[in-house]
Amino acid sequence: HFMCTFADPTFSEADVVLFAETRQMDRSDLRPAGFFVVAQVLSQTGTLGTGSLAAVRMEQAMHARNLLEHSWHGNGCRIEITLITLNRLAVMGVYSSPRVPANQLEIELEMAIQRVPATCSSLLIMGDFNINTMEPPEGRFNLVDFMNRHNPQLHFLLRPDQVTTNGNTQIDLIFASNEQALGFVYESPTSYHKPIMATVPLDNIQ
């Protein structure tokens, strides 16, 4: 799936790429041509582990900073967060396994968001949250409301009817503070998850 993704110019020409559930692949396995791995959370639990990474185009590497490589696990659940900056854009990648306690997810997201430097003019948060935003929020953690409470400028970029998995759910989510940011779902035959993408006008945040 990893190699098929980077055979597509939609991804191979991106400025930043985020991957989750990389399993036991290490840094040497995850070096797509033309990209530099800035932040990576390695799997800690063998084949049941997850693993996440954030990479930028090689020519952008000198402008990228690794701010956070973080993981939490307990009771068979796991949260992984990478946070990098590219010039004045902060990009956060999130993986949250199913059945993660809502209060723990809030704690980890709050901690990561507080790491974003004040010098960053735009924040992009993307990942597999395993929270289906197509279901009514009653009685469960409302991630969209949490993001809005924390930062009213964080917009949810997907339409309510956009599915991100072959199971017709919307669990891969995009939030951005830049009003000109756009979110997309990409059809992929190689994974249960459909890759998600966002465009942010970099010329406004140099």
Side-chain angles (χ1 to χ4, degrees), residues 2 18 30 41 48 50 56-57 62 68 72 76-77 101 103 111 113 118 122 134 151 166 186 188 192 196 200:
F2 182 80
L18 305 172
L30 293 168
V41 177
L48 296 179
T50 51
V56 300
R57 292 193 65 79
M62 68 178 65
L68 184 65
W72 170 91
C77 299
N103 65 323
M111 175 275 300
I113 291 174
S122 292
M134 301 181 80
N151 185 345
N166 292 337
Y186 191 78
S188 170
Y192 174 78
I196 53 176
V200 180

Side-chain angles (χ1 to χ4, degrees), residues 9 19 21 28 57 65 68 73 84-85 87 91 104 117 122 133 135 145 156 167 173-176 179 188 202 205:
F19 275 85
E21 296 187 275
S28 60
R57 292 193 65 79
R65 291 178 55 209
L68 184 65
H73 56 90
I84 68 171
T85 59
N87 295 314
V91 181
Q104 191 65 46
S122 292
T133 53
E135 294 179 347
D145 280 357
F156 182 48
L173 311 174
I174 312 172
F175 301 86
E179 293 183 354
S188 170
L202 290 176
I205 55 176

Side-chain angles (χ1 to χ4, degrees), residues 1-188:
H1 172 58
F2 182 80
M3 299 308 297
C4 288
T5 298
F6 273 92
D8 189 319
T10 302
F11 299 98
S12 62
E13 296 176 5
D15 290 297
V16 181
V17 292
L18 305 172
F19 275 85
E21 296 187 275
T22 56
R23 305 297 177 181
Q24 289 182 302
M25 300 175 76
D26 63 22
R27 288 183 190 273
S28 60
D29 297 321
L30 293 168
R31 290 190 183 278
F35 280 81
F36 175 78
V37 175
V38 181
Q40 184 172 17
V41 177
L42 295 178
S43 170
Q44 299 295 316
T45 52
T47 57
L48 296 179
T50 51
S52 304
L53 72 85
V56 300
R57 292 193 65 79
M58 195 64 72
E59 57 266 32
Q60 300 273 23
M62 68 178 65
H63 304 296
R65 291 178 55 209
N66 176 5
L67 297 184
L68 184 65
E69 297 173 323
H70 175 74
S71 66
W72 170 91
H73 56 90
N75 298 321
C77 299
R78 189 169 179 86
I79 299 171
E80 296 179 349
I81 300 176
T82 57
L83 176 63
I84 68 171
T85 59
L86 181 59
N87 295 314
R88 296 178 62 201
L89 170 67
V91 181
M92 185 185 303
V94 179
Y95 172 78
S96 178
S97 64
R99 297 177 295 280
V100 162
N103 65 323
Q104 191 65 46
L105 182 56
E106 286 193 43
I107 291 170
E108 304 303 322
L109 289 174
E110 178 76 21
M111 175 275 300
I113 291 174
Q114 289 179 353
R115 297 287 189 95
V116 176
T119 54
C120 287
S121 59
S122 292
L123 170 61
L124 181 65
I125 303 175
M126 305 176 65
D128 176 6
F129 289 85
N130 275 299
I131 295 174
N132 186 10
T133 53
M134 301 181 80
E135 294 179 347
E138 290 80 5
R140 64 177 179 82
F141 179 43
N142 191 321
L143 181 62
V144 176
D145 280 357
F146 168 80
M147 292 293 190
N148 289 336
R149 290 197 310 271
H150 183 82
N151 185 345
Q153 294 181 328
L154 279 173
H155 307 285
F156 182 48
L157 298 189
L158 298 182
R159 299 192 315 269
D161 61 344
Q162 282 185 292
V163 298
T164 66
T165 70
N166 292 337
N168 294 320
T169 58
Q170 189 182 75
I171 61 177
D172 307 281
L173 311 174
I174 312 172
F175 301 86
S177 64
N178 191 302
E179 293 183 354
Q180 299 182 54
L182 299 174
F184 306 90
V185 178
Y186 191 78
E187 291 296 330
S188 170

